[in-house]
């Protein structure tokens, strides 16, 4: 085990320094222990950022649902016309879900572009080559689509349930 070897070596170095009488002014440090502390710190930062990201997704999903509910209320005549000329409830639901997913994808694409710009600026500033993974960007877009579908279902269902005659009266 590397950790145990490192601890043993650290103890041996400390004993050697003490026995030689020259232990003053020296600090014996175990890099494996420091790595453990850094790993714990990174795990905490990852957890905090995950929680912040989850809250941001929830807020954006609720915002998308509100926008879609307003859109449904504003477009009742359009829904009534579509239904009166033969559109099914599934057609109406599909239209509103597609709109919800499109709104989510536009938001995600904007976020990915802003992230790439910020990472490029930061990499110049800190003097290291840092990049955004294409896989992570695709994952972001997939999550955005899922958020669009999940939070767009209720408004789309509400739109698909309109009675065409009632919708045309509004």
């Amino acid at each position: 085990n590397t950790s145990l070897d490192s601890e043993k070596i650290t103890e041996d170095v400390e004993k050697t320094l003490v026995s030689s009488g020259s232990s003053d002014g020296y600090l014996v440090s175990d890099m494996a222990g420091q790595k453990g502390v850094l790993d714990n710190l990174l795990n905490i930062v990852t957890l905090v950022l995950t929680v912040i990201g989850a809250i941001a997704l929830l807020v954006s999903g609720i915002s998308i649902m509100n926008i879609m509910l307003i859109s449904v209320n504003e477009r009742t005549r359009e829904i009534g016309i579509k239904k009166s000329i033969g559109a099914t409830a599934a057609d109406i639901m599909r239209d509103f879900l597609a709109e919800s997913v499109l709104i989510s994808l536009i938001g995600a694409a904007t976020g990915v572009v802003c992230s790439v710009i910020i990472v490029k600026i930061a990499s110049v500033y800190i003097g290291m080559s840092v990049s955004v993974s294409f896989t992570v960007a695709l994952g972001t877009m997939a999550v955005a689509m899922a958020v669009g579908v999940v939070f767009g279902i209720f408004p789309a269902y509400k739109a698909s349930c309109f009675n065409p005659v009632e919708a045309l009266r509004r």
Side-chain angles (χ1 to χ4, degrees):
N1 187 354
T2 307
S3 173
L4 294 176
D5 294 340
S6 177
E7 290 174 13
K8 173 89 170 93
I9 291 170
T10 301
E11 289 175 13
D12 290 346
V13 169
E14 286 176 341
K15 286 179 186 175
T16 304
L17 286 172
V18 169
S19 67
S20 70
S22 60
S23 64
D24 293 339
Y26 292 103
L27 174 65
V28 179
S29 178
D30 180 14
M31 294 302 284
Q34 291 178 5
K35 180 186 177 296
V37 170
L38 183 61
D39 285 344
N40 287 339
L41 181 65
L42 289 176
N43 287 339
I44 291 169
V45 169
T46 301
L47 178 65
V48 168
L49 290 176
T50 301
V51 168
I52 291 170
I55 292 169
L57 275 174
L58 181 66
V59 169
S60 64
I62 291 170
S63 297
I64 288 169
M65 186 166 58
N66 284 336
I67 289 169
M68 293 308 299
L69 285 170
I70 291 169
S71 178
V72 167
N73 286 334
E74 293 291 321
R75 295 166 49 191
T76 53
R77 286 186 61 80
E78 175 188 334
I79 295 167
I81 291 169
K82 283 182 175 183
K83 281 194 149 192
S84 67
I85 60 173
T88 64
D91 293 332
I92 302 294
M93 194 162 182
R94 197 172 317 121
D95 287 347
F96 279 93
L97 275 176
E99 188 175 329
S100 176
V101 168
L102 184 63
I103 290 170
S104 298
L105 286 176
I106 290 170
T110 303
V112 167
V113 168
C114 289
S115 296
V116 168
I117 291 169
I118 290 170
V119 164
K120 293 293 182 189
I121 291 170
S123 67
V124 169
Y125 180 72
I126 63 174
M128 288 177 52
S129 178
V130 183
S131 64
V132 175
S133 167
F134 182 72
T135 307
V136 170
L138 280 180
T140 301
M141 300 304 256
V143 169
M145 287 177 61
V147 167
V149 169
V150 168
F151 285 93
I153 287 175
F154 177 68
Y157 177 75
K158 184 177 176 186
S160 69
C161 290
F162 277 154
N163 181 342
V165 175
E166 290 295 320
L168 287 170
R169 283 187 193 168
R170 290 186 183 186

